[in-house]
Amino acid sequence: MRSDGHRVVADPTMGYVQRPGGEYAFAHPAGGDVCTFVLVRPSLWHAVVGDEPPHPRVAVDGRVELAHRLLLRTGHDSADPAERLVHTLAAAVRPQTDRRNPDRGGGLADRAREAIVADDPEAVDLVRLARALGVSPSHLSRTFRRHVGMTVSRYRNRVRVSRALAGIEEGERDLAGLATALGFADQAHLTRTMRAELGRPPGHLRRLLSE
């Protein structure tokens, strides 16, 4: 998506903010998309975000994704999940670390994100990913963190946790097998990572998503 001189690549871990009255151009390189639009009243937006307009890129962290999944399960007329999603989204809208040019290095970061989401074998660690992209590990690490708001390894775990959530929601009960399929060392590694990203262990999430 392009708007106001900014370029945003959306994936399951990244959303975007649209300014009322703004002009936007969209491309769909994967052939289409499935997404959710959350419309927020200006008064509510001002109350939870403030006056300063955010960068259009919004990190969809694990807690935001969980709130989103719960909202889709319960329906748009359910107040509690909707309120939870709005507040978790508000927490995700943070000032950029580089106000002078927040999009600088975005192309490199986007290529790294694409490789991780696509399960490219070269994306299994920072050194191999940097070599595949033709840059030094330190440059990739700095650029990725500045543009995405997290480290490469944290982003990789974020993608894995998203897939784990989807599997649990679909009824997967073999957590050890799920951990192996997603590239975690073992079930304990999956549990620690999900607890860190979501604040809840897989067993609790299974009960929550089955209600």
Side-chain angles (χ1 to χ4, degrees), residues 32-66:
D33 59 62
V34 177
C35 61
T36 299
F37 278 94
V38 180
L39 304 180
V40 181
R41 294 193 314 273
S43 58
L44 178 57
W45 179 267
H46 176 78
V48 297
V49 177
D51 294 322
E52 189 171 0
H55 187 281
R57 184 176 61 247
V58 178
V60 180
D61 65 21
R63 288 171 173 80
V64 173
E65 180 178 354
L66 178 59

Side-chain angles (χ1 to χ4, degrees), residues 14 55 57 59 94-110 113 138-152:
M14 201 70 61
H55 187 281
R57 184 176 61 247
R94 305 184 189 282
Q96 298 297 302
T97 55
D98 187 349
R99 284 290 184 185
R100 296 166 300 175
N101 187 357
D103 293 326
R104 179 164 52 90
L108 174 61
D110 289 342
R113 285 168 52 204
S138 59
H139 178 62
L140 175 59
S141 179
R142 288 193 305 270
T143 302
F144 194 93
R145 186 161 193 163
R146 182 178 65 244
H147 185 74
V148 182
M150 65 185 78
T151 65
V152 171

Side-chain angles (χ1 to χ4, degrees), residues 5-211:
H6 295 294
R7 175 179 178 271
V8 177
V9 176
D11 65 19
T13 75
M14 201 70 61
Y16 56 87
V17 175
Q18 286 187 251
R19 177 175 54 82
E23 294 185 0
Y24 300 87
F26 296 88
H28 306 275
D33 59 62
V34 177
C35 61
T36 299
F37 278 94
V38 180
L39 304 180
V40 181
R41 294 193 314 273
S43 58
L44 178 57
W45 179 267
H46 176 78
V48 297
V49 177
D51 294 322
E52 189 171 0
H55 187 281
R57 184 176 61 247
V58 178
V60 180
D61 65 21
R63 288 171 173 80
V64 173
E65 180 178 354
L66 178 59
H68 176 225
R69 287 181 179 276
L70 291 173
L71 177 63
L72 294 182
R73 292 182 66 84
T74 56
H76 66 278
D77 291 327
S78 300
D80 288 346
E83 183 177 0
R84 184 184 302 117
L85 178 58
V86 168
H87 282 285
T88 50
L89 279 171
V93 180
R94 305 184 189 282
Q96 298 297 302
T97 55
D98 187 349
R99 284 290 184 185
R100 296 166 300 175
N101 187 357
D103 293 326
R104 179 164 52 90
L108 174 61
D110 289 342
R111 293 197 303 275
R113 285 168 52 204
E114 183 179 3
I116 293 170
V117 171
D119 289 329
D120 188 318
E122 297 302 314
V124 295
D125 63 56
L126 176 65
V127 174
R128 289 179 60 179
L129 180 57
R131 185 186 304 121
L133 295 174
V135 297
S136 70
S138 59
H139 178 62
L140 175 59
S141 179
R142 288 193 305 270
T143 302
F144 194 93
R145 186 161 193 163
R146 182 178 65 244
H147 185 74
V148 182
M150 65 185 78
T151 65
V152 171
S153 61
R154 171 77 185 279
Y155 181 82
R156 188 183 301 108
N157 281 336
R158 172 72 191 87
V159 172
R160 289 171 174 171
V161 165
S162 179
R163 292 171 178 168
L165 263 181
I168 290 172
E169 188 173 21
E170 291 167 4
E172 178 61 66
R173 304 194 65 83
D174 180 8
L175 294 180
L178 183 63
T180 299
L182 293 176
F184 290 100
D186 50 31
Q187 182 176 337
H189 185 198
L190 168 66
T191 299
R192 288 195 305 273
T193 304
M194 294 194 76
R195 188 188 292 275
E197 290 290 327
L198 303 167
R200 306 162 190 260
H204 188 178
L205 292 167
R206 180 189 292 130
R207 291 191 297 273
L208 190 64
L209 291 169
S210 66
E211 293 176 355

